[in-house]
Amino acid sequence: QVQLVESGGGLVQPGESLTLSCLASGSIVSIVSMGWYRQVPGKERELVARLTRGGNIDYADSVKGRFTLSRNDLKNAVYLQMNRLKPEDTAVYYCNARTQQNIDSWGQGTRVTVSS
């Protein structure tokens, strides 16, 4: 089982930046991908960015060029650097880890609000 703890959300103005952090613990060796999803009320959770074990990173079209996913293997962490934030980026952001058994683990979520 994998446990995930997120941090870094908050309230920012349009055009500003935030960095989200996700620390993983537990059955880390079984993880094949990690990433970030987001959800707004009334909508399905959507992929923001995902890093696979092979090192490939997938980004949602809406964040390409603005968001950057990175990792620190020593800390078992992934980060989401979010630049040039827009009001439509407002959501609860969830860290995700998927194991070799295709089991998803989720963090508790961190809220990002972009508003003037």
Side-chain angles (χ1 to χ4, degrees), residues 49-92:
R50 178 174 55 206
L51 172 67
T52 65
R53 179 177 280 181
N56 296 319
I57 302 177
D58 299 321
Y59 291 99
D61 288 342
S62 59
V63 306
K64 284 181 180 177
R66 300 188 299 120
F67 290 12
T68 302
L69 179 66
S70 61
R71 69 182 184 189
N72 184 326
D73 291 338
L74 292 179
K75 295 184 178 181
N76 298 317
V78 292
Y79 308 95
L80 186 67
Q81 173 68 41
M82 304 185 294
N83 297 326
R84 302 197 307 277
L85 282 160
K86 303 175 180 180
E88 50 264 43
D89 295 319
T90 296
V92 177

Side-chain angles (χ1 to χ4, degrees), residues 10 21 29-30 46-47 49 52 56 65 87-89 92 108 112-113:
S21 301
V29 294
S30 66
E46 64 175 7
L47 173 70
T52 65
N56 296 319
E88 50 264 43
D89 295 319
V92 177
Q108 78 284 1
V112 173
T113 303

